[in-house]
Amino acid sequence: EIVLTQSPATLSLSPGERATLSCRASQSVGSDLAWYQQRPGQAPRLLVYGISRRATGIADRFSGSGSGTDFTLTISSLEPEDFALYYCQQRYNWGPVTFGGGTKVEIK
Amino acid sequence: QVRLQETGPGLVKPSQTLSLTCTVSGGSINSYDFWWTWLRQPPGEGLQWLGYFYRSTTTYYPSLRSRLTISLDASKSQFSLNLTSVTAADTAVYYCARATSHGGNPMDYWGQGILVTVSS
């Protein structure tokens, strides 16, 4: 099973700042890497898939990058509604789907 | 607009079977483009993928394979989860979701989630 490790666990930033979230895989996942946002009491929402493809309706301040085992989700300028939990997810080579442990983006 | 809605009991006794149903509206459950998926999230913890139904086949998370069954009833536009011999460790918010055919099967539509507590 591929393990995804997200860092940092918590990111304390102010609105308007840039957020950089990291996800590292225990082995290569090719381009099979997605990011989700989860607000309190809500279901996760797909933000990015295929490393860098934004899902339908997702603002362009969200961008994904990386390759192989190291991936990044960047939020270029934090809006109030962006303070939430973020998870990365992989399903490489038809193995089990796994998620990272999450990064909480909180207001500083 | 595609919508998914989980229904089922919020409380299950230990050793019993947890049964949930997900009703899909606004899109065809018969489409071969999607994997109909169950996930869960224990209180205060992260997300765990449980398995999916796709083209009359199922795939389960390995450690749950012996207890888990996912089925689909296209006539009702529903898919279901049965988890046997539950313990307190199965207490979680359970989500149904639609996974796409893009690499990695990202999940683009989710139900709102249903909290299931395992307790006597």
Side-chain angles (χ1 to χ4, degrees):
Chain A
E1 174 175 313
I2 296 175
V3 176
L4 297 177
T5 302
Q6 291 187 242
S7 61
T10 304
L11 199 51
S12 299
L13 295 167
S14 301
E17 288 193 295
R18 182 184 190 89
T20 303
L21 288 67
S22 174
C23 176
R24 176 164 289 178
S26 58
Q27 64 188 76
S28 176
V29 299
S31 61
D32 295 343
L33 195 286
W35 291 92
Y36 299 81
Q37 177 193 68
Q38 187 176 32
R39 295 176 179 141
Q42 295 186 17
R45 177 173 72 138
L46 178 65
L47 297 175
V48 169
Y49 64 94
I51 300 178
S52 60
R53 297 182 169 190
R54 270 188 299 275
T56 302
I58 300 304
D60 61 7
R61 64 180 180 274
F62 293 93
S63 62
S65 62
S67 64
T69 60
D70 290 296
F71 303 93
T72 300
L73 177 72
T74 301
I75 311 171
S76 60
S77 178
L78 284 163
E79 296 288 338
E81 62 268 28
D82 299 337
F83 292 92
L85 264 169
Y86 292 84
Y87 293 97
C88 55
Q89 172 251 317
Q90 69 78 34
R91 199 222 178 164
Y92 182 66
N93 204 24
W94 301 106
V97 171
T98 58
F99 290 85
T103 290
K104 181 181 180 181
V105 178
E106 66 174 23
I107 299 177
K108 187 173 181 180
Chain B
Q1 175 79 348
V2 175
R3 291 187 186 276
L4 291 84
Q5 176 72 58
E6 304 92 348
T7 53
L11 180 64
V12 180
K13 289 181 166 51
S15 79
Q16 294 191 342
T17 296
L18 184 164
S19 296
L20 298 173
T21 296
C22 181
T23 301
V24 180
S25 59
S28 174
I29 202 171
N30 278 321
S31 172
Y32 283 168
D33 291 332
F34 304 113
W35 284 250
W36 302 102
T37 302
W38 285 98
L39 310 97
R40 68 183 181 183
Q41 185 171 35
E45 297 186 22
L47 295 161
Q48 182 185 26
W49 175 82
L50 302 179
Y52 63 65
F53 188 102
Y54 176 68
R55 293 198 184 193
S56 301
T57 66
T58 51
T59 300
Y60 302 125
Y61 190 71
S63 67
L64 294 173
R65 190 175 290 135
S66 64
R67 297 197 292 133
L68 183 59
T69 303
I70 296 174
S71 58
L72 186 143
D73 185 342
S75 67
K76 295 181 179 178
S77 200
Q78 294 177 334
F79 62 106
S80 299
L81 171 149
N82 275 356
L83 183 64
T84 62
S85 305
V86 296
T87 69
D90 296 309
T91 293
V93 175
Y94 284 76
Y95 294 101
C96 60
R98 187 184 84 168
T100 76
S101 58
H102 297 298
N105 290 141
M107 285 147 279
D108 62 348
Y109 285 97
W110 296 63
Q112 66 186 26
I114 182 169
L115 174 62
V116 179
T117 301
V118 178
S119 175
S120 55

